Amino acid sequence: MSDDFPTVSYASSNARIWWVVGVVAVLVLVAGGIALRIAFTRLPPGTTVAGEVVATPAEAVEVAEDIGARLTGLSVELRTAAGDTTIPAGQLGAELETDPVRTAAEEARGFDGWLDRYTGGGTVELPVEVTVTEGDLSDAVAAVSAEPVDGAIDVTATGVDVTDPVPGVEVTEVQIREAVTPELERLATTPAADWPSPLVVELDGTEIEPVVTQASVDAAVAEIERITSTPIEVTASVVPEDSQTVDGQMVPLREPATLTLQGADLRGLLATEVDPDAIQRERLQIVADVEDPPSALADFVEAADVPPEMDVSVENRSPTPERGGSGEGPGGPADQPRLADVSGITGDLVATVNTPGLDADLAATAEAVVRAAVEGETSVAVQGTPINSPDPALLDVVEPVSTYTTFYTPGEGRVTNIHRIAEIVDGTLVPPGGNLDVNHGVGERTAERGFVPAGAILEGEFVSDVGGGVSQFGTTFFNAMWFAGVDIITHTPHSYWFDRYPAGREATIDYPGVDLEFNNNTPYWILVDTAVTADSVTVTFWSTRYFAVEQTIGPREPVQGGDFRITIERVATAPPIPELELEGFVDDDRFTHTYGTPP
């Protein structure tokens, strides 16, 4: 038996072992490297974008893009005290930037990111950046902005209506962006499921104070109450609307008039206007409402619009008709058409002004009334431009419209009375709507006034009386009335017919009881012009022709116990005058008179 054993080589064995270890180590290192390479292409576990877990940068960018798409489509409601509007965030210029997310993701997947995650760094939240750029905000600005509303007052006859002032709101595009941006940024980091719809953003804006504030309104209301608590008298000199004859003075051409404005009428005259430069309490100025003043004031000012008060006469008058002639009508020898013919009458109308007229100004009067009220005055005159022109055309006295002539025997006492009454009546003016009663206008006939005793008829008896014979003037005057077409108020024919008068178409007068009166129912003034000769008296009315007159004198009908009965009729036709707002009309007068048999 042999004692020899195999020989073992430890060096060789160790080499193999280390070789194996080396190979394993290399494999481990390679595998680790591969694992690390694979790991570093992904994001650390728990990495989120807006609360949503993402594994890779690409996924992070995709999530960011999805959030951005949702964000731009989100409805945003903008609110201010002035109003609200809802628009998409994209229209506001909202964008979510993906580049910051990509950059942050790339950084988060590196060694430092992983190391931070596993050494207590916590969840990695990739940052999201939202910007609001130059979007179209003009409509949004308009919707949430508002001009201030000035306080205002509407004064009416029934009271004062107040519009309260409202401050304005001014919002700029910059203010909208500054308010919206942080709200969108907050949403961008919040899970989409938690987003509100719509996103409400309250905007403060900048308050704009009205020009007319509550202080202005309150002060104006108090001023209106003060003004309307005190009556204001408006004064004027007017032509009487229906002038009545004054005994011994003919027809008044002027009279003072007063209009009292208070309460509703005074309020109806007030308005306000804004003075932006005044202090707050005085910015609402009290002014006159010249566009729509109260009707009472308008009517009063219209009445105060008057021509000058003047004396008018006819100079260089053409000769009056002479006695004789032909063409006797049914009224007898005195009924001759030539005696009523105005076609050949000429003359110069001459005037002198006694009192200026007034071209009344309603707007100026309204302003004067309000100014007086504001200043604490209680009376104001109608305003306007004085009229001093001595022109009869201002009275519409431009032509003869009627005339008549009667005749007498020269030298008789009655002629003196006829001439005297003609002298008194000559130049009398009768305004539109005025009444002239010749009997009382002349007044009592006395010796002191130039009248003399002469024959007269008193209660059917022939007597001698101071002023006797003036009835012939009455007849002449009545015929001028008749052919002028004016409204006959009162006339009384003689008890007996004298052939120096047209039968039926004549009148007597006796003071104080037997009157002769007409109403000037034309829109024009009438001038009474008289002319006398040794054997005639003529009365002519000068004005503007208005009536077309047609007349009829009936036959003389014998009556038992008297002389005869006769009927006269006159149809006076007035045309429409649109510029004076006058409609046409027809006035039909019919008179029947029975004459007694002279004693």
Side-chain angles (χ1 to χ4, degrees):
M1 170 175 231
S2 175
D3 293 326
D4 294 328
F5 290 94
T7 300
V8 177
S9 178
Y10 289 102
S12 176
S13 175
N14 289 337
R16 283 194 297 268
I17 292 172
W18 284 110
W19 183 85
V20 171
V21 170
V23 170
V24 170
V26 170
L27 290 176
V28 169
L29 288 173
V30 169
I34 293 172
L36 285 174
R37 183 175 182 83
I38 293 173
F40 289 156
T41 62
R42 300 177 64 83
L43 295 172
T47 301
T48 61
V49 175
E52 185 172 340
V53 177
V54 291
T56 67
E59 187 178 348
V61 170
E62 182 179 347
V63 169
E65 288 176 344
D66 181 59
I67 293 173
R70 294 181 187 180
L71 196 68
T72 56
L74 177 67
S75 293
V76 179
E77 182 178 340
L78 304 175
R79 291 180 182 177
T80 66
D84 57 73
T85 186
T86 300
I87 59 175
Q91 188 175 328
L92 292 171
E95 293 181 356
L96 188 145
E97 298 288 343
T98 57
D99 287 345
V101 173
R102 181 179 290 106
T103 299
E106 292 295 336
E107 293 176 353
R109 72 174 182 168
F111 177 78
D112 290 341
W114 281 78
L115 180 62
D116 185 62
R117 172 71 179 87
Y118 285 103
T119 59
T123 302
V124 177
E125 176 65 32
L126 299 182
V128 175
E129 293 185 12
V130 176
T131 60
V132 178
T133 58
E134 300 293 326
D136 182 8
L137 302 184
S138 56
D139 290 343
V141 167
V144 296
S145 298
E147 293 295 326
V149 176
D150 284 339
I153 293 176
D154 182 21
V155 188
T156 67
T158 57
V160 178
D161 296 328
V162 174
T163 298
D164 291 329
V166 179
V169 177
E170 181 181 25
V171 177
T172 66
E173 294 186 8
V174 171
Q175 288 174 318
I176 292 177
R177 291 190 186 96
E178 290 179 347
V180 169
T181 299
E183 293 298 322
L184 294 179
E185 289 178 342
R186 179 181 58 81
L187 286 187
T189 60
T190 303
D194 296 334
W195 288 9
S197 182
L199 171 64
V200 177
V201 178
E202 299 285 350
L203 303 171
D204 293 333
T206 303
E207 183 175 295
I208 306 173
E209 184 180 70
V211 173
V212 180
T213 64
Q214 193 65 49
S216 307
V217 172
D218 293 344
V221 170
E223 179 69 354
I224 290 170
E225 291 176 352
R226 181 190 69 80
I227 288 173
T228 55
S229 65
T230 304
I232 297 288
E233 286 192 346
V234 186
T235 62
S237 176
V238 303
V239 176
E241 185 175 352
D242 54 350
S243 296
Q244 301 297 313
T245 302
V246 175
D247 202 79
Q249 299 181 34
M250 296 301 175
V251 181
L253 306 182
R254 290 285 189 278
E255 66 179 11
T258 301
L259 171 69
T260 301
L261 293 175
Q262 57 185 342
D265 281 338
L266 194 51
R267 274 195 304 274
L269 184 58
L270 302 180
T272 60
E273 67 179 18
V274 177
D275 180 359
D277 297 325
I279 62 174
Q280 279 291 352
R281 287 182 55 81
E282 298 177 1
R283 285 192 180 174
L284 270 184
Q285 300 285 312
I286 309 300
V287 298
D289 182 1
V290 297
E291 298 297 329
D292 188 24
S295 59
L297 180 63
D299 293 343
F300 188 76
V301 171
E302 183 179 6
D305 192 284
V306 294
E309 184 179 354
M310 61 181 86
D311 293 329
V312 183
S313 61
V314 181
E315 296 183 0
N316 305 316
R317 190 192 189 284
S318 56
T320 58
E322 296 181 353
R323 185 188 292 273
S326 60
E328 178 179 326
D335 182 22
Q336 297 181 26
R338 71 184 183 92
L339 302 178
D341 184 10
V342 299
S343 62
I345 298 177
T346 60
D348 299 325
L349 289 163
V350 179
T352 56
V353 173
N354 298 321
T355 305
L358 184 68
D359 182 8
D361 187 328
L362 177 57
T365 301
E367 291 170 352
V369 169
V370 173
R371 187 164 52 250
V374 170
E375 294 174 357
E377 300 175 4
T378 58
S379 179
V380 64
V382 170
Q383 303 294 295
T385 304
I387 304 173
N388 292 292
S389 174
D391 184 0
L394 295 172
L395 308 177
D396 298 306
V397 173
V398 296
E399 62 184 337
V401 298
S402 68
T403 190
Y404 210 74
T405 300
T406 61
F407 300 93
Y408 41 76
T409 301
E412 296 179 348
R414 60 193 301 273
V415 174
T416 298
N417 294 328
I418 294 171
H419 286 198
R420 181 67 182 118
I421 193 172
E423 180 185 13
I424 294 172
V425 175
D426 186 40
T428 296
L429 287 164
V430 184
N435 283 24
L436 174 58
D437 172 9
V438 172
N439 188 38
H440 283 81
V442 172
E444 185 176 4
R445 273 68 85 183
T446 64
E448 292 76 12
R449 300 186 67 207
F451 292 94
V452 300
I457 301 174
L458 183 61
E459 296 181 355
E461 300 292 331
F462 289 95
V463 299
S464 178
D465 189 27
V466 174
V470 295
S471 288
Q472 180 161 349
F473 180 83
T475 287
T476 313
F477 191 93
F478 176 76
N479 275 268
M481 291 166 48
W482 180 267
F483 288 111
V486 294
D487 189 18
I488 299 169
I489 303 299
T490 301
H491 88 290
T492 303
H494 286 80
S495 302
Y496 312 114
W497 178 58
F498 302 95
D499 63 5
R500 59 178 176 266
Y501 308 142
R505 204 179 67 223
E506 49 89 11
T508 184
I509 55 176
D510 182 62
Y511 190 87
V514 182
D515 296 333
L516 175 59
E517 183 178 11
F518 76 88
N519 170 256
N520 180 7
N521 57 336
T522 82
Y524 314 115
W525 288 67
I526 292 175
L527 167 68
V528 181
D529 171 55
T530 68
V532 296
T533 67
D535 65 351
S536 70
V537 59
T538 300
V539 176
T540 303
F541 285 6
W542 293 69
S543 184
T544 294
R545 183 166 296 282
Y546 185 56
F547 288 106
V549 175
E550 297 180 356
Q551 65 151 355
T552 302
I553 297 181
R556 302 179 196 182
E557 302 173 0
V559 293
Q560 187 174 3
D563 193 355
F564 63 89
R565 177 186 300 112
I566 191 168
T567 298
I568 61 174
E569 184 175 10
R570 182 192 69 175
V571 178
T573 303
I577 306 179
E579 59 269 26
L580 297 180
E581 299 182 354
L582 295 177
E583 297 181 355
F585 66 93
V586 176
D587 188 12
D588 190 348
D589 293 300
R590 184 182 180 90
F591 304 106
T592 298
H593 182 64
T594 300
Y595 289 102
T597 302

